Amino acid sequence: MIDSPLETEDGRVAALESMVKLRRFEERTSNLFADGEIPGFVHLYIGQEAVAVGATSTLDSNDHITSTHRGHGHCVAMGLDPSRMFAELMAKDDGFCRGKGGSMHIADVNAGMLGANGVVGSGAPIATGAGVTKKLAGDDSVALAFYGEGAVSEGQVHEAITLGAAWDLPVIYLVEKNNYAEGMPAERIFRNTDFEDFGDAYGIPAETVDGMDVVDVYEAVSDAKQRALEGEGPSIVVAETFRYNPHSEGLDMPLPEEELEYWKDRDAIETFKDELIEQGELTAEQFEEIEDRIEAELDEAVERARNGEPPEPEQAYEDVFTEPAPDIEYHRANLGRDQL
Ligand SMILES: Cc1ncc(C[n+]2csc(CCOP(=O)(O)OP(=O)(O)O)c2C)c(N)n1
């Protein structure tokens, strides 16, 4: 998360920098995946940067988020070290999960990041659980769940919001409405795609915002956070956005060209950069400096990750259970490299 909120000039420039960093991180990830340096699946966040940055800019160090299979943007926005993220993507021991989680399972509890998650919709109940802890602890903090519109029809999301509302929990449920779940358009999943309407069913406030406008997202999430801290319970924020890449890297699943063009014309980074330059808050030269700084940081991060070692096979059962399952010791004792 960035230090200074978007209400100040410094905060706005920091938000732009953060959005650029998210995008450059993903562009590198795309190349690394294409070059065979990243195993498994990779879902990129390119296009949606204003949502992660606008929302996390409202957070303090005692707040928490939950994320999705498309979680790199949320992680970078929360300030996670890109080098350890690349290491996780490359299945190296320096990764946040010692290379055992990969792209869809990056977590850093100390940074307030409770985890990306390959199970669609699962971040909502985890955030609701965090909300229970927060309410019991009374520590004036919130939990924020990011999820896609594909998760809105999930039973666990419905149950999580119902409970959050019934117990007035300090949770924000943020729908990143990019209009496609894999290749399925929202209109084919829902009769009503105005997810803001769902707020009435749960009896909680809900608002739709322009997910390509970082300030719009920031303001709506700030309001939701304020209500949560005042004991009014959860809110839903629906951010309308778009992803530019296929559902997952390597898939031959392009989005319709006209839709891509429409959203790219409204690109969050370009629009915000132009706005800041027009308002005299940034110069083109300063923007170049920001880009150079990010490129240098990410180049170094990739190199460091590349030079790291993979985890030892003996670590396969470490950090998996809080208490070892009964047969773990047996497997640990009998596990050798040649058995993997
Ligand atoms: C419970 C569950 N069901 C199905 C899947 C397969 N799956 C992975 S991503 C995805 C689409 C998710 O769409 P959405 O929630 O809108 O997020 P987006 O990919 O658009 O960011 C599906 C169906 C899964 N991982 N988990």
Side-chain angles (χ1 to χ4, degrees):
M1 68 203 85
I2 59 176
D3 285 340
S4 157
L6 273 112
E7 281 134 28
T8 67
E9 193 173 314
D10 281 353
R12 283 188 287 275
V13 174
L16 178 66
E17 177 159 354
S18 183
M19 288 199 286
V20 174
K21 190 165 167 182
L22 263 63
R23 184 160 301 179
R24 299 286 173 266
F25 181 95
E26 293 294 58
E27 288 167 353
R28 274 175 170 67
T29 301
S30 178
N31 292 337
L32 292 167
F33 182 85
D35 292 345
E37 290 194 60
I38 296 178
F41 291 92
V42 163
H43 308 83
L44 299 188
Y45 196 70
I46 296 177
Q48 302 185 200
E49 295 87 354
V51 185
V53 172
T56 57
S57 298
T58 68
L59 301 182
D60 294 300
S61 57
N62 58 347
D63 295 321
H64 289 84
I65 70 159
T66 62
S67 173
T68 68
H69 56 286
R70 199 177 299 289
H72 308 164
H74 307 137
C75 294
V76 177
M78 288 296 280
L80 269 61
D81 174 2
S83 162
R84 292 192 63 202
M85 286 182 63
F86 283 126
E88 188 59 42
L89 298 181
M90 294 181 193
K92 300 289 178 74
D93 194 41
D94 289 337
F96 279 100
C97 303
R98 304 191 73 176
K100 295 183 284 189
S103 163
M104 283 187 275
H105 301 97
I106 297 179
D108 185 4
V109 177
N110 293 330
M113 168 57 184
L114 295 179
N117 208 311
V119 181
V120 169
S122 56
I126 295 171
T128 299
V132 174
T133 307
K134 288 169 183 299
K135 185 157 184 174
L136 292 175
D139 70 350
D140 283 339
S141 68
V142 298
L144 167 67
F146 289 98
Y147 53 92
E149 85 287 333
V152 170
S153 59
E154 283 263 339
Q156 58 176 336
V157 173
H158 173 61
E159 292 168 41
I161 303 176
T162 301
L163 192 65
W167 288 352
D168 293 329
L169 299 180
V171 184
I172 301 158
Y173 299 100
L174 201 164
V175 185
E176 297 198 62
K177 187 184 179 192
N178 64 16
N179 234 40
Y180 285 89
E182 300 203 3
M184 181 72 80
E187 291 71 27
R188 289 186 60 192
I189 307 175
F190 303 93
R191 270 202 186 189
N192 181 4
T193 57
D194 287 333
F195 303 125
E196 187 181 311
D197 293 348
F198 291 31
D200 279 346
Y202 298 116
I204 61 174
E207 185 181 351
T208 302
V209 296
D210 181 356
M212 301 308 254
D213 182 337
V214 68
V215 178
D216 214 20
V217 176
Y218 169 78
E219 286 173 350
V221 177
S222 292
D223 291 347
K225 180 174 175 180
Q226 193 59 33
R227 286 191 294 272
L229 294 181
E230 283 167 7
E232 292 177 32
S235 302
I236 295 173
V237 176
V238 182
E240 295 185 318
T241 182
F242 210 63
R243 63 171 155 80
Y244 298 171
N245 285 43
H247 168 70
S248 178
E249 286 304 279
L251 285 184
D252 186 18
M253 231 175 156
L255 292 160
E257 203 49 54
E258 332 73 76
E259 284 183 61
L260 268 171
E261 255 173 52
Y262 169 81
W263 289 96
K264 284 184 177 177
D265 273 352
R266 309 179 58 244
D267 183 77
I269 296 176
E270 288 302 314
T271 314
F272 196 49
K273 179 188 76 177
D274 291 348
E275 203 179 301
L276 293 187
I277 290 177
E278 213 166 283
Q279 286 166 0
E281 299 188 4
L282 180 80
T283 63
E285 294 71 40
Q286 283 168 332
F287 184 70
E288 264 178 42
E289 282 167 24
I290 288 175
E291 285 202 302
D292 291 347
R293 193 162 59 237
I294 290 170
E295 298 287 354
E297 183 191 347
L298 294 180
D299 280 346
E300 201 194 315
V302 169
E303 257 339 280
R304 222 176 318 145
R306 247 186 208 137
N307 293 330
E309 296 296 324
E312 293 296 326
E314 292 74 24
Q315 289 169 13
Y317 291 105
E318 273 177 29
D319 311 314
V320 177
F321 300 98
T322 49
E323 285 178 32
D327 58 344
I328 286 279
E329 291 310 329
Y330 168 82
H331 286 296
R332 196 173 263 154
N334 291 284
L335 192 71
R337 252 179 213 284
D338 50 355
Q339 286 170 276
L340 289 179

